[in-house]
Amino acid sequence: SISDDAILMFPDITEMYPNVDVEEAIEIIGEKYEQKPSKYDLPKDCIVEGLKLCQECNCVQFNGKYYLQCKGCAMGPAHGCDYTDVWIGKIVETHVDMCPVETLSFSIYRDDGLDVLLWGEQDLPQFQTHLNNLHPNLTFETKSGKEGPYLDLWIMLKDGKIETRNFKKFEPTHLDPKSCHDKSVFKGLYKGVGLRLRLNCSNDEDFVEAVDQ
């Protein structure tokens, strides 16, 4: 079981995409590609040059003018999310290897992080300082407590265990039954949403409430 002193940590990277180190990211992707080459036998130089083109020629038109992003990575391009994930992944590896305090298990999805500080508030300042020294381009805004939101979960520390229930920032958008989607799509939605709610809720009571909503 988890210590009563433990607290949840929710580190959030501030303005992640505009602060991506472009050259560093391309170098890391090249290294990863050498470790696990493409099954299509594409040379590394081809991938690297393609990424440089995507970054350097990412022009947009607005109000009759053309703009070129000179720093970071735009969120819109097809490569943007995966490109940034690989870069962040390398930084997270450094965090996991060098974290000066005892935690349960650090995880991150895009710019949203999650961990448990096993000895609680006493390690919080050191943990926050460590995160904000991982990379000069990155700043982490960290919230903490016995419970809080992470992606589509509300996570709680209760009686030495981690419990979860469903969480939503906004009311979900539903497909109109009169839309042109195949009928199988609607059947799949019921099953898919139901399974997600069941997985998200540790307790039956929370699951029933999530289904009713």
Side-chain angles (χ1 to χ4, degrees), residues 121-134:
E121 297 283 349
Q122 66 180 23
D123 289 335
L124 181 56
Q126 194 174 4
F127 183 82
Q128 291 176 316
T129 300
H130 168 72
L131 284 178
N132 284 312
N133 285 329
L134 285 172

Side-chain angles (χ1 to χ4, degrees), residues 164-166 194 197-213:
T164 61
R165 66 172 185 259
N166 194 60
L197 294 179
R198 178 66 277 186
L199 290 169
N200 282 2
C201 297
S202 303
N203 299 317
D204 292 342
E205 296 84 356
D206 292 328
F207 171 62
V208 172
E209 182 181 347
V211 170
D212 288 341
Q213 289 177 352

Side-chain angles (χ1 to χ4, degrees), residues 23-123:
E23 292 300 322
E24 187 176 274
I26 290 175
E27 182 180 342
I28 291 170
I29 291 170
E31 292 172 357
K32 296 289 184 183
Y33 189 81
E34 287 180 337
Q35 297 169 10
K36 191 175 181 180
S38 167
K39 63 180 180 180
Y40 301 109
D41 199 31
L42 294 171
K44 184 189 82 171
D45 291 346
C46 176
I47 301 297
V48 168
E49 288 303 314
L51 285 172
K52 286 181 178 179
L53 284 173
C54 290
Q55 285 298 120
E56 295 171 2
C57 301
N58 187 31
C59 303
V60 294
Q61 183 182 10
F62 177 74
N63 201 23
K65 295 182 179 181
Y66 288 90
Y67 297 87
L68 177 65
Q69 184 165 346
C70 299
K71 180 186 176 184
C73 178
M75 289 184 282
H79 74 285
C81 291
D82 292 338
Y83 172 89
T84 304
D85 287 347
V86 175
W87 178 66
I88 288 294
K90 185 71 173 179
I91 296 169
V92 168
E93 287 178 8
T94 301
H95 162 63
V96 172
D97 291 341
M98 301 180 63
C99 186
V101 299
E102 191 174 358
T103 71
L104 183 64
S105 179
F106 185 81
S107 64
I108 192 166
Y109 180 77
R110 299 279 141 82
D111 54 355
D112 294 318
L114 173 68
D115 207 342
V116 177
L117 274 186
L118 295 178
W119 304 113
E121 297 283 349
Q122 66 180 23
D123 289 335

